[in-house]
Amino acid sequence: MYEVYGIIGDPVSHSLSPVMHNVAFKELGIKAVYGAFRVKPHDLARAVEGIKALNIKGLSVTIPHKETIIEYLDEIDSVAQEIGAVNTVVNKEGILIGYNTDWIGVIKAFEVKNIDLKNKKVVLIGAGGASKAIIYALLKKEVKEIEVYNRTFEKAKILEAKFNILAKPWQELKNAYGDIIIQGTSVGLKSWESPVQEEVISRFKIAMDIVYFPLKTKFLTSAEKYAQIIDGLQILLYQGIEQFKIWTGISPPIEIMERVIYEEIKKLEKEIFV
Ligand code: ATR
């Protein structure tokens, strides 16, 4: 019998998680399939019941459910609790346990590029759900300083209080400088926009974007003239690898998963942008 895994979110139609996890199951000879389930916010409670009823073994959780799913879970891992967001669920005989692997994805994405985060000054744009895991990762790696700029200042202030970092007014982004700049908003997703001017980006040696569609966002296109860049698919890949390990206890084939998601994004870009 095949076991079932999947992603819940809205939207999920362009999620790369199904190709990434299915190729890993296949490669390892694990009898399992991974699907994409569009779940609207008002259906989340019923979806969680469905997971139990259908005995779905594991889930990825994405926008907009990473925070709201917490109240429906039976247990939550201490790190996910500290971050305040869940991106991974395990169904252990009807007990749903929430984890967060986004922060590990962020750390791994820097590590594989041999970037040492220790003592760096980081400018983070955005104070949404993704930013929490990014900040947690940066603090774990002992960066020197984190400045968060967000369109809605109050949300940056909440992160300032939660993580003891510095919230900066949006208008001051034009004066930002440091070692690493991270684009952590949804700006640039399926559009040719960047929340920050190229002149500002040019002051940094390392630039990361959480957006991966298009793969080379406007932000990264500016950044690669001045900096080493890390695209959003790297975070997706490494958070997915950690999920896979939590679900199965097995290390999945990273190179194959990486290849299929990069191939898939190229296909999607052709369909949507050309
Ligand atoms: P995620 O979980 O991906 O972080 P989110 O919690 O909805 O998603 O957060 C989206 C982030 O993108 C927020 O920081 C949001 O800024 P606000 O807090 O002001 O809403 C940011 N964002 C979205 N659209 C933006 C825009 N047009 N300009 C600047 N920031 C934007």
PDB file of all heavy atoms in Angstrom, residues 76 87 158 262 264:
ATOM      1  N   ILE A  76       3.728  20.321  19.418  1.00  0.00           N
ATOM      2  CA  ILE A  76       4.588  21.178  18.594  1.00  0.00           C
ATOM      3  C   ILE A  76       6.008  21.141  19.141  1.00  0.00           C
ATOM      4  O   ILE A  76       6.225  21.246  20.354  1.00  0.00           O
ATOM      5  CB  ILE A  76       4.006  22.602  18.464  1.00  0.00           C
ATOM      6  CG1 ILE A  76       4.965  23.520  17.727  1.00  0.00           C
ATOM      7  CG2 ILE A  76       3.580  23.196  19.760  1.00  0.00           C
ATOM      8  CD1 ILE A  76       4.293  24.746  17.163  1.00  0.00           C
ATOM      9  N   ASN A  87       6.112  24.424   9.398  1.00  0.00           N
ATOM     10  CA  ASN A  87       6.065  24.134   7.959  1.00  0.00           C
ATOM     11  C   ASN A  87       6.051  22.631   7.683  1.00  0.00           C
ATOM     12  O   ASN A  87       6.008  22.209   6.529  1.00  0.00           O
ATOM     13  CB  ASN A  87       7.247  24.793   7.235  1.00  0.00           C
ATOM     14  CG  ASN A  87       8.532  24.025   7.422  1.00  0.00           C
ATOM     15  OD1 ASN A  87       8.813  23.524   8.512  1.00  0.00           O
ATOM     16  ND2 ASN A  87       9.298  23.898   6.358  1.00  0.00           N
ATOM     17  N   ILE A 158       7.255  44.022  16.286  1.00  0.00           N
ATOM     18  CA  ILE A 158       6.922  42.767  16.983  1.00  0.00           C
ATOM     19  C   ILE A 158       8.123  41.818  16.937  1.00  0.00           C
ATOM     20  O   ILE A 158       8.492  41.201  17.932  1.00  0.00           O
ATOM     21  CB  ILE A 158       5.661  42.117  16.360  1.00  0.00           C
ATOM     22  CG1 ILE A 158       4.432  42.997  16.669  1.00  0.00           C
ATOM     23  CG2 ILE A 158       5.445  40.689  16.883  1.00  0.00           C
ATOM     24  CD1 ILE A 158       3.177  42.617  15.905  1.00  0.00           C
ATOM     25  N   TYR A 262      14.957  22.601 -10.279  1.00  0.00           N
ATOM     26  CA  TYR A 262      15.454  23.621 -11.208  1.00  0.00           C
ATOM     27  C   TYR A 262      14.890  23.395 -12.611  1.00  0.00           C
ATOM     28  O   TYR A 262      14.551  24.343 -13.318  1.00  0.00           O
ATOM     29  CB  TYR A 262      16.993  23.692 -11.204  1.00  0.00           C
ATOM     30  CG  TYR A 262      17.518  24.517 -10.033  1.00  0.00           C
ATOM     31  CD1 TYR A 262      17.700  23.937  -8.777  1.00  0.00           C
ATOM     32  CD2 TYR A 262      17.778  25.872 -10.158  1.00  0.00           C
ATOM     33  CE1 TYR A 262      18.145  24.694  -7.692  1.00  0.00           C
ATOM     34  CE2 TYR A 262      18.220  26.632  -9.082  1.00  0.00           C
ATOM     35  CZ  TYR A 262      18.398  26.040  -7.853  1.00  0.00           C
ATOM     36  OH  TYR A 262      18.827  26.792  -6.772  1.00  0.00           O
ATOM     37  N   GLU A 264      11.994  21.993 -13.221  1.00  0.00           N
ATOM     38  CA  GLU A 264      10.570  22.327 -13.131  1.00  0.00           C
ATOM     39  C   GLU A 264      10.341  23.843 -13.173  1.00  0.00           C
ATOM     40  O   GLU A 264       9.416  24.323 -13.828  1.00  0.00           O
ATOM     41  CB  GLU A 264       9.987  21.735 -11.834  1.00  0.00           C
ATOM     42  CG  GLU A 264       8.493  21.784 -11.710  1.00  0.00           C
ATOM     43  CD  GLU A 264       7.749  20.855 -12.670  1.00  0.00           C
ATOM     44  OE1 GLU A 264       8.386  19.974 -13.275  1.00  0.00           O
ATOM     45  OE2 GLU A 264       6.530  21.059 -12.810  1.00  0.00           O
TER      46      GLU A 264
END
